[in-house]
Amino acid sequence: MCGAKSKSLAFTGLLLNCLEMIFSANTGFSVSLYDVTSQSISLRWPKFSGASSYRVTATAVNTVGHSLLAHFSDVTLKATLTSLIPNTVYAIQAEAIDKNGIILAETQIMQSTAPDIPVIDQAYSKLSNSITVEWRAVPGATSYMLTAQDGDSFIETVVKNSPGTVTGLQPATLYRITIRSINSGGKSQPSPFRKVKTVLAAPILSVSSPSCDSIALSWKAVYMAAGFSVSLMRSDGLGRMLRENTTSTSLIFTNLDPGTLYTIKAYAWNANGMPGDDFTYNQRTSPNAPADVKVAFNSGALRVSWMPTEGALTYTVTASSGLLKLKCNTSSSSCMVPSLQCSSEYYVSVIAYNDAGSSKPTDAVSLKTIPCAPVNISIEEDEPGHLLVSWSSISFGHYYVVFVKSDDGLEVHCNTSYTQCHFQSDCGFTYFISVFAYNKAGQSPLGDVFNYTTAPCCPSDFRAVFVSSDTVRVTWAPVRGADLYETRAAAWSTVVLCNDTAPACTLSALQCNTRYHITVHSFSEARGSNTSCAPKHVETAPCCPNDLILTQVTQSVTNISWSAGKGAQTYVTTLESPKGQAKCRTLQNYCLLGCITCGTNYTVSLKAISETGLTSSCTYQGYSSSACCPSGVKLYRLSNNGIRVFWRASDETMNYSTDLRGSKGNFTCTPSAGRSHCDITEIPCGDVYTVVVVPLTDKGPKLTFCPKKIYSVTCSGSSVGMVIYRGKSNAEHI
């Protein structure tokens, strides 16, 4: 029964590719593996209740007649099965047995042993950080573990097959090398060790090219090194190889080609002459200085060119002038240095560069730049029609050219080695002036362009015409260069000015009866006034009377009087309204005007005329004639000794005042606006009354020329009797 069970388990184990399997008869008893080698399998199990011993059987699945049986006491819970066949699958059965020999529980597993122990054929070091191992293949091994041990430290590497290399080692160090074969079951025991020493580390070079024909090398000491070998050769294969052996840690190769790439190889050897790792480095010698340097000045910049030099990657051009240094970097064989200062001398040199360093600077080439633009330029019109242009002397300026262009397009120039030039000029022109300095390098840059405007021309043949008594209209033809005209009328200490951009001006508020000198000056914003213009003389009109008085004599007649006007011989006075005009011409200083309409606004004007016919039109404050007197004034008796005064109003909005004067008393009545009657109570009867009704206004006293009427008031007993009209009064006042 057990045999059949073992075969069944073996068959199942083969189907599962010899994977570890555990079976238990549902008793909780099991075994586990903790180590597998080529010829041993180590097991452990838990203590089983009631068991007094344990029995373990290992049977090779594919090998007939090879099995192993072992008994253990109840205190032994682990065991190692030895003398097994390498790379072989075993069916392992473990049983727990009581003291009567009865099997209490059992379990089985399938486990393969590891492959056989490999044998190292050879082990060697070609690099300072690794050792290479060669061996014969072991049947059943799927991989191999290489171990390099140095004292207590070790490094392991798993490889597929021979040869294999252990890396990460220290240079010049003795290692114990072993190898173990591996399959799915585990690892074999280590092989017999081999002692192998890693080779020396490579020297780490610091390389530079201190000059265009040399390369310098240095390195730190290498552990266990007895000497060093360094070789150098052109990277393009041309020329011969140079080799140097040394015990020093520095070396320099000379007489090399400038700007050339060299390949350098160096290694250390030990006391036995065994070479270590090599170190390879590519280094270029620094370039030679450029040749055939040429300089030229072009549009404010310096153009420098040269012959390319072998191995140069970039070039730097330096242009020095005193403390100022200008640089230009390029990879070509020419360069433009911008922003050169004018009137300066520069010293130009070129340095070639590559990744190794720089060449020596070329011999400096001198260049003088163009002169600066002249400064302190002044322009004077030393006399009318002549311009003087002057400036300060400029360093490196050999001669000067002055260009003068007028605003009509005409241009002239002056070439001189001095610092001033003379030009002819005309009035009213703007001249644009520029000054250039020259030397062998060329023309100076354009400096400030100055403009100079000559004084505007004088207006000629101007006409002065009186447009009123105190106003003169002056006209003239426009003149070149004038932005503004000033017309000046001067008489003794009195000056009247008129400014305008038009070629005409009106001078007003002139003093009457005065001789004026009239001058027209032309102005420009750039140059100011031309003060050389000639004046003309102008007989102003007579003066207007200062005082003019209007007095209304009657309702239709007004008297006008005035003070004498200086220079006036004849006067014409006019009162004018929409209703009509009243005019008077006289040699006197008063005039009586009739046909005046009452309650009317008049404009008042007076013309003062001189003996030669010059006329001053004088305007005065407007005049309002008096309000119209009412008409139809009548008296009516009222009861209770009262009298009513009735009239026809000339203006319904006007207020009126009524006066009754008699020997027994005077009475006044003022009704409200718009009424045309007024009542006076308790008037004495038996008296003759003078009645007048006058309009009331805000200005002036009561009118005195309204008609007055006479009425007799009789008595009837003690009361007012009949009111009888007696006619008009001839008295001027009441």
Side-chain angles (χ1 to χ4, degrees):
M1 189 78 169
C2 290
K5 189 174 183 179
S6 297
K7 289 180 181 179
S8 175
L9 290 173
F11 179 73
T12 303
L14 290 174
L15 289 177
L16 295 175
N17 295 323
C18 300
L19 294 175
E20 176 184 302
M21 300 180 62
I22 300 177
F23 296 87
S24 176
N26 295 325
T27 60
F29 182 62
S30 62
V31 295
S32 61
L33 301 174
Y34 66 88
D35 189 32
V36 177
T37 67
S38 301
Q39 296 180 327
S40 66
I41 297 176
S42 297
L43 310 168
R44 60 166 63 94
W45 56 88
K47 186 175 181 64
F48 194 82
S49 177
S52 61
S53 64
Y54 299 94
R55 180 169 59 205
V56 179
T57 303
T59 303
V61 174
N62 296 325
T63 304
V64 179
H66 189 277
S67 62
L68 180 67
L69 178 64
H71 290 270
F72 304 95
S73 67
D74 62 341
V75 297
T76 303
L77 300 178
K78 64 179 180 178
T80 299
L81 304 178
T82 59
S83 301
L84 302 181
I85 302 172
N87 195 37
T88 302
V89 177
Y90 282 87
I92 301 173
Q93 179 173 301
E95 300 166 319
I97 305 173
D98 67 6
K99 61 183 179 179
N100 297 318
I102 297 174
I103 298 174
L104 301 178
E106 64 180 7
T107 185
Q108 287 189 352
I109 63 172
M110 304 293 291
Q111 176 62 44
S112 172
T113 55
D116 206 355
I117 301 171
V119 177
I120 297 175
D121 289 338
Q122 62 175 335
Y124 49 86
S125 173
K126 288 187 175 181
L127 298 175
S128 61
N129 66 341
S130 67
I131 292 176
T132 300
V133 183
E134 296 180 4
W135 66 92
R136 291 185 297 275
V138 175
T142 57
S143 59
Y144 301 89
M145 176 180 285
L146 304 179
T147 302
Q149 185 172 2
D150 173 23
D152 293 333
S153 66
F154 59 89
I155 295 177
E156 294 180 337
T157 301
V158 176
V159 298
K160 287 292 185 182
N161 45 41
S162 176
T165 300
V166 184
T167 60
L169 307 181
Q170 296 296 319
T173 302
L174 185 64
Y175 287 92
R176 290 164 58 100
I177 305 298
T178 59
I179 184 170
R180 302 171 75 179
S181 58
I182 302 173
N183 66 5
S184 61
K187 297 187 287 286
S188 71
Q189 292 91 342
S191 68
F193 67 84
R194 290 280 188 97
K195 289 187 176 182
V196 181
K197 193 172 189 178
T198 51
V199 299
L200 301 181
I204 305 302
L205 301 180
S206 295
V207 187
S208 64
S209 177
S211 64
C212 64
D213 63 348
S214 65
I215 292 178
L217 306 95
S218 63
W219 58 90
K220 293 182 179 180
V222 176
Y223 176 65
M224 299 295 291
F228 302 92
S229 179
V230 183
S231 62
L232 177 144
M233 187 174 183
R234 283 178 62 126
S235 298
D236 57 10
L238 300 178
R240 61 186 182 87
M241 177 185 290
L242 303 178
R243 183 185 298 275
E244 293 285 344
N245 294 328
T246 181
T247 57
S248 177
T249 57
S250 62
L251 190 64
I252 186 166
F253 289 93
T254 58
N255 298 321
L256 305 180
D257 298 328
T260 302
L261 185 65
Y262 284 87
T263 299
I264 303 164
K265 185 174 291 188
Y267 62 87
W269 70 81
N270 61 17
N272 298 324
M274 177 75 68
D277 285 353
D278 58 42
F279 182 91
T280 301
Y281 192 87
N282 290 327
Q283 174 66 44
R284 190 180 299 275
T285 51
S286 56
N288 210 347
D292 195 21
V293 177
K294 296 180 179 179
V295 296
F297 190 80
N298 183 14
S299 299
L302 175 66
R303 187 179 189 281
V304 186
S305 61
W306 55 89
M307 291 295 294
T309 186
E310 179 68 28
L313 300 179
T314 60
Y315 301 89
T316 295
V317 177
T318 302
S320 303
S321 177
L323 298 177
L324 177 65
K325 291 185 182 296
L326 301 177
K327 292 184 179 293
C328 171
N329 298 317
T330 182
S331 58
S332 65
S333 60
S334 65
C335 199
M336 296 291 290
V337 181
S339 305
L340 294 186
Q341 291 186 346
C342 54
S343 292
S344 299
E345 185 171 13
Y346 285 88
Y347 294 91
V348 183
S349 60
V350 185
I351 299 177
Y353 291 86
N354 62 14
D355 50 8
S358 62
S359 70
K360 293 181 179 179
T362 60
D363 293 336
V365 179
S366 173
L367 174 75
K368 291 180 180 178
T369 62
I370 60 173
C372 294
V375 295
N376 299 326
I377 297 174
S378 66
I379 304 166
E380 301 175 48
E381 198 169 2
D382 50 359
E383 60 181 85
H386 291 84
L387 290 181
L388 173 63
V389 182
S390 58
W391 57 91
S392 298
S393 179
I394 296 299
S395 298
F396 301 112
H398 296 166
Y399 65 96
Y400 306 91
V401 177
V402 183
F403 294 91
V404 176
K405 186 174 184 178
S406 60
D407 52 11
D408 63 354
L410 181 64
E411 183 177 73
V412 295
H413 70 275
C414 165
N415 190 323
T416 181
S417 58
Y418 299 105
T419 57
Q420 63 179 20
C421 271
H422 291 270
F423 295 91
Q424 289 189 343
S425 62
D426 292 319
C427 65
F429 276 88
T430 297
Y431 294 93
F432 300 93
I433 300 167
S434 54
V435 183
F436 293 90
Y438 292 82
N439 63 11
K440 291 182 179 179
Q443 173 187 290
S444 69
L446 175 64
D448 294 332
V449 177
F450 293 85
N451 62 70
Y452 184 90
T453 302
T454 55
C457 299
C458 283
S460 60
D461 296 330
F462 65 86
R463 298 176 63 246
V465 178
F466 274 96
V467 294
S468 67
S469 60
D470 65 346
T471 303
V472 174
R473 175 78 169 171
V474 184
T475 58
W476 58 90
V479 296
R480 183 176 183 86
D483 300 318
L484 181 72
Y485 299 96
E486 179 187 81
T487 306
R488 173 188 293 258
W492 301 103
S493 61
T494 302
V495 176
V496 179
L497 297 177
C498 169
N499 294 317
D500 205 331
T501 57
C505 201
T506 300
L507 297 171
S508 58
L510 299 180
Q511 291 184 0
C512 56
N513 196 42
T514 304
R515 178 184 176 89
Y516 281 91
H517 300 278
I518 297 180
T519 309
V520 180
H521 296 290
S522 54
F523 281 82
S524 70
E525 293 182 3
R527 189 53 50 204
S529 172
N530 188 338
T531 59
S532 63
C533 303
K536 284 189 177 182
H537 304 288
V538 176
E539 281 305 86
T540 52
C543 298
C544 287
N546 291 328
D547 302 317
L548 184 139
I549 301 173
L550 289 95
T551 305
Q552 189 156 356
V553 179
T554 69
Q555 189 163 279
S556 62
V557 177
T558 298
N559 182 63
I560 304 178
S561 61
W562 54 87
S563 60
K566 187 178 179 180
Q569 185 183 56
T570 305
Y571 302 93
V572 177
T573 59
T574 304
L575 293 181
E576 189 168 9
S577 75
K579 297 179 180 180
Q581 182 187 75
K583 181 180 289 188
C584 171
R585 183 182 184 96
T586 180
L587 298 176
Q588 307 299 322
N589 61 345
Y590 62 90
C591 195
L592 199 62
L593 293 174
C595 301
I596 301 301
T597 304
C598 60
T600 303
N601 293 326
Y602 285 91
T603 58
V604 181
S605 62
L606 181 147
K607 291 184 178 180
I609 305 171
S610 70
E611 184 179 3
T612 58
L614 290 176
T615 301
S616 292
S617 295
C618 311
T619 302
Y620 297 90
Q621 185 176 358
Y623 166 70
S624 296
S625 60
S626 64
C628 295
C629 295
S631 61
V633 178
K634 295 180 180 180
L635 260 63
Y636 296 97
R637 177 176 63 86
L638 297 177
S639 61
N640 300 325
N641 295 327
I643 290 295
R644 170 169 289 182
V645 182
F646 177 83
W647 62 88
R648 286 195 297 275
S650 60
D651 186 347
E652 293 181 354
T653 62
M654 182 69 70
N655 288 338
Y656 294 89
S657 177
T658 302
D659 288 328
L660 278 77
R661 296 189 179 186
S663 61
K664 295 182 179 181
N666 298 326
F667 301 91
T668 300
C669 175
T670 304
S672 58
R675 300 189 66 178
S676 60
H677 67 273
C678 187
D679 294 341
I680 301 174
T681 60
E682 299 298 331
I683 186 170
C685 62
D687 200 358
V688 177
Y689 290 93
T690 301
V691 182
V692 63
V693 181
V694 297
L696 294 179
T697 61
D698 294 335
K699 32 188 175 171
K702 288 183 180 180
L703 300 181
T704 61
F705 48 75
C706 286
K708 305 172 183 65
K709 292 186 177 183
I710 302 174
Y711 283 88
S712 295
V713 180
T714 64
C715 292
S716 177
S718 60
S719 301
V720 173
M722 295 181 63
V723 178
I724 303 171
Y725 174 63
R726 295 294 185 89
K728 294 183 180 180
S729 172
N730 293 324
E732 294 185 0
H733 304 286
I734 58 174

